[in-house]
Amino acid sequence: MSSSKTVKLAYRPFGLISGMAGGLVAGAIFKQVWRRVSDKDDAPDALQSEYPWRELLLAAALQGAVYAVVKAAVDRGGAIAFERWTGEWPGD
């Protein structure tokens, strides 16, 4: 097994745990952002008929943006920490 494959395999559990933590953080951030941009505490769900399309799509776009930014930050931060601990970059 090559060094690159070994590093990627070693990073996998680390990446999984940091990804789960990032998801929790992203959810909390989205809830706070939604409370500031909407007069409702909870974002609309696609199956809730009382919300108009505009509000539903705005919530979905905002949630996607928050999750993407948090995922990128967590992935990069995790890779940097992994490299500091092992001396190997997990993505190459």
Side-chain angles (χ1 to χ4, degrees), residues 1-3 15 20 25 27 36 43-45 51 63 65-66 70 72 78 82:
M1 186 179 278
S2 72
S3 175
M20 290 170 54
V25 169
R36 286 188 171 86
D45 183 80
Y51 293 100
Q63 186 175 29
V66 168
V70 170
F82 186 83

Side-chain angles (χ1 to χ4, degrees), residues 46-66:
L47 299 179
Q48 293 176 309
S49 62
E50 65 269 18
Y51 293 100
W53 276 97
R54 182 177 179 198
E55 190 173 1
L56 172 69
L57 296 178
L58 173 64
L62 184 60
Q63 186 175 29
V66 168

Side-chain angles (χ1 to χ4, degrees), residues 4-78:
S4 177
K5 287 184 180 182
T6 304
V7 170
K8 287 181 182 182
L9 189 61
Y11 180 73
R12 196 172 271 172
F14 184 79
L16 180 65
I17 291 169
S18 66
M20 290 170 54
L24 293 172
V25 169
I29 291 171
F30 172 69
K31 283 183 181 184
Q32 292 300 315
V33 170
W34 184 255
R35 286 184 183 136
R36 286 188 171 86
V37 300
S38 173
D39 58 347
K40 298 174 182 77
D41 283 340
D42 293 323
D45 183 80
L47 299 179
Q48 293 176 309
S49 62
E50 65 269 18
Y51 293 100
W53 276 97
R54 182 177 179 198
E55 190 173 1
L56 172 69
L57 296 178
L58 173 64
L62 184 60
Q63 186 175 29
V66 168
Y67 274 83
V69 168
V70 170
K71 181 181 180 343
V74 167
D75 286 351
R76 178 55 61 101

